[in-house]
Amino acid sequence: MTDYEILLMLDPEVPEERQSQIVSRIRESIENDGGRWDNEEPWGRRRLAYEIDHKPEGVYHLLTFAAEPATLAEISRVLKITDGVMRHLAVRRVEGASTRPAQPAPEEPVAAAAGASQDSETEPSA
């Protein structure tokens, strides 16, 4: 068995109970094929760098498990045709590595940034 993780991006308009159903179906599929379910970590809503299907946000879930490659292939096939799944990425887990959600950068007020650049332009040169 190989350790895997799937980063799952779900449609934000899908109700939470449907999102839970999608995750539980994946878990059942892994466990029925003799795999080991490790963890499901909901990362929540995140703003996308570009819109997908005219949606600016996605709901992320990180799934970690151990399974046979054939099981992973079947899960990927099912996720491609499941309504509510916008994207998914399945990768092999590296021993000792940790996957964490990116921390949002603190937003700087626009007025303060514009004022600072104007001050540097008006200072006399020596």
Side-chain angles (χ1 to χ4, degrees):
M1 265 197 292
T2 308
D3 289 339
Y4 294 106
E5 60 185 38
I6 293 179
L7 185 59
L8 189 62
M9 184 194 319
L10 302 176
D11 187 340
E13 296 173 3
V14 171
E16 277 192 43
E17 65 184 39
R18 175 67 180 135
Q19 293 177 20
S20 297
Q21 285 176 348
I22 292 170
V23 172
S24 65
R25 274 184 56 195
I26 294 169
R27 181 177 185 162
E28 288 171 8
S29 178
I30 291 166
E31 290 175 343
N32 289 341
D33 287 345
R36 180 188 77 239
W37 180 263
D38 292 335
N39 191 22
E40 185 250 336
E41 188 177 332
W43 284 5
R45 266 181 200 252
R46 301 282 172 144
R47 185 150 186 80
L48 304 177
Y50 58 92
E51 290 186 357
I52 299 174
D53 295 330
H54 305 289
K55 294 179 174 92
E57 294 181 330
V59 179
Y60 287 83
H61 292 267
L62 179 68
L63 314 175
T64 55
F65 58 94
E68 296 296 327
T71 304
L72 179 66
E74 177 62 17
I75 291 169
S76 290
R77 185 192 71 77
V78 169
L79 287 174
K80 286 179 188 175
I81 61 174
T82 301
D83 290 335
V85 177
M86 293 170 61
R87 296 281 191 277
H88 75 280
L89 176 66
V91 295
R92 223 171 120 191
R93 249 188 329 188
V94 178
E95 188 175 326
S98 122
T99 306
R100 296 179 184 208
Q103 297 299 321
E107 293 188 26
E108 189 174 303
V110 177
S117 65
Q118 288 177 351
D119 290 342
S120 63
E121 292 173 6
T122 58
E123 289 179 15
S125 312

